[in-house]
Amino acid sequence: MRVVDEFKNYLTTEKRSSANTVSSYLRDVNQWMEYLTARSLEATDITRNDVQDYIQWLTGVGKSAATVTRAVASLKCFFSWMIDCGYRTDNPALGVKAAKVERKLPQILSSKEVELLLEQPKCVDMKGYRDHAMLEVLYATGIRVSELIGLDVDNVFLAAGFIRCESREKTRIIPIYPTAQKALTDYLRDVRPKLALDGEKALFVNMNGTRMSRQGFWKLIKYYGEKAGIQAEITPHTLRHSFAAHLLENGADIRAIQEMLGHADISSTQVYAKLVNRRLKDVYTRAHPRA
């Protein structure tokens, strides 16, 4: 499996992929290598037909269309790297297509449900202040959870009322509303100095004083969702989706939302327009006396 270790090094040091991307690619490539080993095949010798057989096998064992599509993308990247390294002269995954993935509209919370969720952390102890600030910032900005936990203290500009969100692609300046400003101010003034270890740059830290993890935030938002009695399934991405949909419902320009969300392609943002239009149609159907 030396070749997989080399691929991992390429992803982390040369391509500088995120930890989630590296984990996803390696999971797919390791599964592919196990598939080849079970059939006495070598990655340097396989053909497009072998890749197509693998895709059919994934489908046959019950993998979703989204999972299969991701596996194809991972293999294309892997074989492209093998060509660069001289292990192969062609990319057998090119031209291989997975089943078309039906793009589902994102699940969002209503404005009332968001209010219920944001009210759950009680500012009576350090954890409550921190959790309240995290949820307020997430809904105020619509940033990804990975971006939220990746924020450093010097990314916050409270006097100006915005945060600076830095990613591999670009830096985004995103405004935050007054309630989120206050929650952050209280946390930074009264709580973080007592929680964070010396030298820790992370804005949001766990109870051990180090940067909050994705898993830690997942547990946090799930806990508060259940505490609020919200029936809809809440994931770390739910507030991001709700942020975008609620802005659109209230007349925000879709290009401005695209900029705040950090979408490279406007089509990613237009999904929320479809969602809002569907919700309006549902409201019309339920409420209009002649509908």
Side-chain angles (χ1 to χ4, degrees), residues 7-191:
F7 180 57
K8 178 181 180 181
N9 185 61
Y10 158 74
L11 292 173
T12 54
T13 61
E14 293 185 42
K15 198 174 181 184
R16 299 175 65 84
S17 300
S18 68
N20 287 336
T21 298
V22 173
S23 175
S24 177
Y25 276 21
L26 291 181
R27 183 168 58 250
D28 290 336
V29 170
N30 278 319
Q31 182 173 256
W32 161 248
M33 297 298 281
E34 291 170 4
Y35 171 88
L36 295 183
T37 299
R39 289 156 181 78
S40 300
L41 297 171
E42 293 290 336
T44 52
D45 300 328
I46 57 92
T47 65
R48 182 181 296 179
N49 286 337
D50 293 317
V51 178
Q52 193 67 61
D53 289 344
Y54 175 62
I55 299 308
Q56 291 175 355
W57 175 79
L58 287 175
T59 303
V61 297
K63 299 297 182 181
S64 69
T67 297
V68 175
T69 299
R70 191 199 65 214
V72 172
S74 297
L75 290 182
K76 286 178 180 177
C77 178
F78 178 59
F79 287 123
S80 178
W81 167 80
M82 291 186 77
I83 292 171
D84 291 341
C85 293
Y87 290 126
R88 292 190 62 97
T89 59
D90 68 319
N91 189 330
L94 290 179
V96 173
K97 295 182 179 179
K100 187 176 181 180
V101 179
E102 180 182 353
R103 191 167 191 178
K104 297 181 179 179
L105 293 177
Q107 294 293 314
I108 67 168
L109 301 179
S110 67
S111 297
K112 177 63 176 178
E113 288 172 327
V114 169
E115 291 298 325
L116 280 172
L117 181 66
L118 297 182
E119 289 172 358
Q120 294 315 304
K122 305 304 179 186
C123 296
V124 295
D125 55 19
M126 290 192 293
K127 185 177 184 301
Y129 274 99
R130 182 205 64 190
D131 295 354
H132 178 61
M134 290 189 79
L135 292 181
E136 286 284 1
V137 169
L138 196 60
Y139 182 60
T141 61
I143 59 177
R144 302 173 181 89
V145 172
S146 58
E147 294 169 336
L148 177 75
I149 63 176
L151 288 174
D152 292 334
V153 173
D154 60 9
N155 293 136
V156 178
F157 300 86
L158 285 173
F162 69 84
I163 64 166
R164 183 180 65 224
C165 183
E166 299 174 341
S167 64
R168 295 186 308 280
E169 296 82 12
K170 62 185 295 187
T171 297
R172 312 194 312 275
I173 302 299
I174 310 173
I176 53 177
Y177 51 65
T179 306
Q181 282 181 264
K182 183 181 186 308
L184 259 182
T185 299
D186 293 343
Y187 166 71
L188 284 170
R189 183 190 62 229
D190 302 328
V191 175

